Amino acid sequence: MYTARMTPAEIDRETHEDITNVQSKLKYTQEDFRRMVLKATRFPVVMRYEQNTKRKNRWKVMLLAYSRQNTRGRTAVVFYSICESELGKFVYLPVPYLQRGLGKFRTLVFKPHYMSRYRERMGRQESGEALIDHLMTTTMTLELLFFPHADGRVTVIGTMDEGFCFGESYDHDNVVLIRTFVPRKMMFSDQREIFDLTHADREQEMHAHLERLKTMSARQLLDHARQQTPEARKLSAVPKDAKEFKRWMENAREIAPEIEMPDEE
């Protein structure tokens, strides 16, 4: 079972020991979802359900189709586990990590602080699991960039439609701890300018991805995903070299000092 005090290696192991159970049920559910999509008159079509696994983790699963062609291997799927703790709710989100091999995942861990900062800075009315459910839909546009340091630390910057998230990477990038969120409206003017210039690019990329989902076979989707190595991905809304990164992070810390807060927050 996931716990708030797990080490990165333990988190990675828990994900891979539990995910088979989640995927097994997903195979059966996808057939029900396929029938729902074929009968639908409005899109997108969304199905949500919960599952408790033998390892005592509670998972939430969302299936999403943008057209009648989005069935089976072309269905967008998000699944995540919520862990209750004395510090608040932690969310564990496995995402495919094909650089490790087929069927392998990287686990994104969203800390309670991230949820509270997102709610406060975006002016959301939801709280608790309703807020988490919304947040997990935003991760479909999330892209990560990794910045290693000389002392072995790896800073992670994520960009999405609404702004940036910040965290660290552990266990050879198998586990990413997401600490906090900074929306577009809080950025410095030069950061907003860069973000605005690249927002259209992200929208165009997302649209192209949805079009691929509509037309690609499951095998084509898998081959395409294998080609998307970290080096091939472009994140033009974040710094490109060490000098720019240092200046950029100094500005980011001024906006949100909690970017590097200790784990015992």
Side-chain angles (χ1 to χ4, degrees):
M1 182 172 66
Y2 287 116
T3 68
R5 301 299 182 184
M6 276 182 162
T7 65
E10 289 171 336
I11 292 172
D12 183 53
R13 184 167 58 251
E14 185 70 18
T15 294
H16 285 89
E17 290 185 357
D18 211 32
I19 206 68
T20 301
N21 196 194
V22 177
Q23 290 182 315
S24 295
K25 181 174 181 179
L26 178 61
K27 291 179 182 178
Y28 294 102
T29 307
Q30 282 180 318
E31 183 58 31
D32 294 332
F33 185 64
R34 184 184 72 86
R35 289 192 288 267
M36 181 187 299
V37 172
L38 293 176
K39 295 178 182 178
T41 57
R42 293 185 179 181
F43 291 88
V45 177
V46 180
M47 174 189 281
R48 299 178 186 269
Y49 68 89
E50 293 191 21
Q51 176 184 358
N52 294 317
T53 61
K54 294 179 180 179
R55 299 184 66 81
K56 299 182 180 179
N57 291 311
R58 181 168 66 94
W59 291 87
K60 288 192 168 188
V61 182
M62 180 183 71
L63 295 87
L64 182 64
Y66 297 93
S67 74
R68 287 192 176 85
Q69 285 72 45
N70 289 162
T71 57
R72 299 189 185 279
R74 293 186 292 272
T75 300
V77 180
V78 178
F79 44 89
Y80 50 97
S81 182
I82 300 174
C83 169
E84 303 280 354
S85 76
E86 67 275 11
L87 299 175
K89 290 180 172 64
F90 282 73
V91 181
Y92 299 85
L93 173 69
V95 295
Y97 191 16
L98 293 176
Q99 283 70 44
R100 297 177 67 185
L102 186 61
K104 296 296 184 179
F105 292 84
R106 167 185 285 144
T107 306
L108 309 187
V109 183
F110 292 83
K111 300 191 74 173
H113 185 87
Y114 179 91
M115 268 73 80
S116 63
R117 281 293 184 263
Y118 179 88
R119 183 175 188 268
E120 170 192 339
R121 291 170 176 171
M122 290 299 296
R124 304 291 305 191
Q125 298 300 312
E126 309 99 312
S127 61
E129 293 198 13
L131 179 65
I132 292 173
D133 292 342
H134 168 76
L135 274 171
M136 291 301 101
T137 64
T138 69
T139 62
M140 296 183 69
T141 63
L142 175 62
E143 295 282 0
L144 301 176
L145 191 64
F146 298 80
F147 291 90
H149 298 267
D151 60 5
R153 295 181 301 112
V154 180
T155 296
V156 177
I157 301 175
T159 179
M160 58 185 70
D161 283 347
E162 297 174 318
F164 293 106
C165 61
F166 297 85
E168 305 92 40
S169 176
Y170 299 93
D171 193 29
H172 306 289
D173 298 335
N174 295 335
V175 176
V176 176
L177 180 66
I178 307 294
R179 291 189 180 278
T180 194
F181 173 82
V182 178
R184 177 194 175 282
K185 63 184 179 182
M186 290 182 62
M187 298 175 190
F188 285 97
S189 58
D190 59 336
Q191 292 174 319
R192 285 198 299 270
E193 181 178 356
I194 294 174
F195 189 83
D196 290 340
L197 288 172
T198 58
H199 181 69
D201 292 337
R202 285 195 300 278
E203 283 193 332
Q204 183 177 356
E205 183 178 346
M206 186 62 180
H207 177 73
H209 174 64
L210 298 183
E211 291 301 313
R212 288 193 295 269
L213 280 177
K214 294 177 182 179
T215 59
M216 279 185 171
S217 67
R219 174 53 58 183
Q220 287 173 322
L221 284 169
L222 178 58
D223 291 341
H224 173 77
R226 283 173 169 164
Q227 296 170 7
Q228 303 306 296
T229 62
E231 294 76 18
R233 303 175 103 169
K234 295 181 179 179
L235 292 176
S236 53
V238 295
K240 302 176 181 62
D241 55 52
K243 184 177 181 180
E244 185 181 347
F245 171 69
K246 181 179 180 181
R247 183 175 64 253
W248 199 91
M249 284 299 293
E250 287 174 352
N251 289 341
R253 292 188 191 97
E254 184 175 336
I255 298 172
E258 75 275 10
I259 284 175
E260 293 185 345
M261 66 172 56
D263 285 340
E264 298 76 22
E265 60 183 338

